[in-house]
Amino acid sequence: EDQVTQSPEALRLQEGESSSLNCSYTVSGLRGLFWYRQDPGKGPEFLFTLYSAGEEKEKERLKATLTKKESFLHITAPKPEDSATYLCAVQASNTGKLIFGQGTTLQVKP
Amino acid sequence: ETGVTQSPTHLIKTRGQQVTLRCSSQSGHNTVSWYQQALGQGPQFIFQYYREEENGRGNFPPRFSGLQFPNYSSELNVNALELDDSALYLCASRNGGVGSTSPLHFGNGTRLTVT
């Protein structure tokens, strides 16, 4: 069964304290792995798509990496405005549906 | 470029009633999906529509149904509401067919409360 597990569930950082969020997955034929950011009361906002092991993508303070079993979202020198819930999702072969993890809620304190 | 818009933003219904939620896809997007997000959980796939036909359904009972219109707008209908249907309902659109991996763009959702 296709499954996505994110850890930790919650993470508190001081401003400038770098860290990583983990997304472990099992899927039959990965078509893509997606990272989203969700602010309270809002819909998920697209960040990255990764397609194959070894791929990396960066955007400002965020960097996403992918292996055959997991993905990491590295946050370098975070700021309070990076506080949000980060969602990981996988898309399996020949389907359009995304299977989401439960998310990691990040709080960055000034 | 107009993003995905959903209406209403909030809704309160009584158990056993029926509800219709509406979505306008992002301009140029021909595929629409609906997701249910319970508090503290990730979104769960309900179904997907492409060219006005359902193609792909998650683990939801038949009382969850939908429509996609020629202008790519969409509706989600839920009959015989249950307390567990209380959640944030998210509409998302993308360009491409069934297996497209172009990013899904989400609306801000409809918060449904069933009492």
Side-chain angles (χ1 to χ4, degrees):
Chain A
E1 182 184 347
D2 299 336
Q3 191 171 328
V4 177
T5 303
Q6 293 186 244
S7 61
E9 288 188 9
L11 182 62
R12 287 185 180 182
L13 299 173
Q14 289 296 129
E15 185 172 1
E17 180 186 4
S18 301
S19 188
S20 297
L21 281 55
N22 177 262
C23 170
S24 296
Y25 65 90
T26 54
V27 65
S28 51
L30 179 70
R31 293 282 316 257
L33 184 142
F34 301 81
W35 282 98
Y36 285 85
R37 168 194 171 126
Q38 186 172 26
D39 293 300
K42 303 283 189 181
E45 176 188 349
F46 171 73
L47 294 173
F48 304 109
T49 309
L50 301 167
Y51 295 100
S52 58
E55 190 174 359
E56 299 181 351
K57 288 198 176 168
E58 286 188 69
K59 179 180 179 179
E60 295 180 355
R61 296 176 291 283
L62 300 177
K63 178 180 176 180
T65 62
L66 181 64
T67 72
K68 288 186 177 179
K69 293 185 178 181
E70 57 192 352
S71 177
F72 292 93
L73 185 65
H74 307 278
I75 303 177
T76 302
K79 299 182 177 181
E81 54 262 40
D82 295 323
S83 297
T85 295
Y86 290 85
L87 294 164
C88 170
V90 297
Q91 182 173 339
S93 293
N94 300 320
T95 77
K97 76 174 183 180
L98 297 188
I99 301 163
F100 282 86
Q102 78 278 22
T104 293
T105 299
L106 172 66
Q107 184 181 30
V108 181
K109 294 192 169 183
Chain B
E1 180 177 271
T2 306
V4 177
T5 58
Q6 294 186 242
S7 62
T9 55
H10 295 83
L11 202 52
I12 299 175
K13 288 287 189 178
T14 303
R15 189 171 49 184
Q17 286 187 316
Q18 177 266 342
V19 69
T20 298
L21 310 182
R22 294 180 172 83
C23 171
S24 292
S25 299
Q26 183 164 321
S27 176
H29 288 184
N30 56 13
T31 302
V32 66
S33 304
W34 286 90
Y35 287 77
Q36 180 195 66
Q37 187 175 26
L39 207 57
Q41 301 297 315
Q44 278 200 296
F45 177 74
I46 303 176
F47 41 55
Q48 173 178 276
Y49 279 81
Y50 174 65
R51 292 184 175 176
E52 302 172 51
E53 288 192 5
E54 181 184 304
N55 57 50
R57 187 177 185 94
N59 190 25
F60 283 82
R63 58 189 185 84
F64 285 78
S65 63
L67 286 171
Q68 184 186 30
F69 300 100
N71 65 354
Y72 304 131
S73 64
S74 177
E75 286 182 356
L76 166 65
N77 299 290
V78 187
N79 293 322
L81 284 166
E82 300 177 0
L83 296 179
D84 284 349
D85 295 333
S86 295
L88 181 68
Y89 288 85
L90 294 163
C91 174
S93 68
R94 70 182 355 156
N95 199 19
V98 172
S100 170
T101 55
S102 61
L104 270 180
H105 293 268
F106 285 84
N108 286 328
T110 294
R111 171 70 63 188
L112 174 65
T113 302
V114 182
T115 61

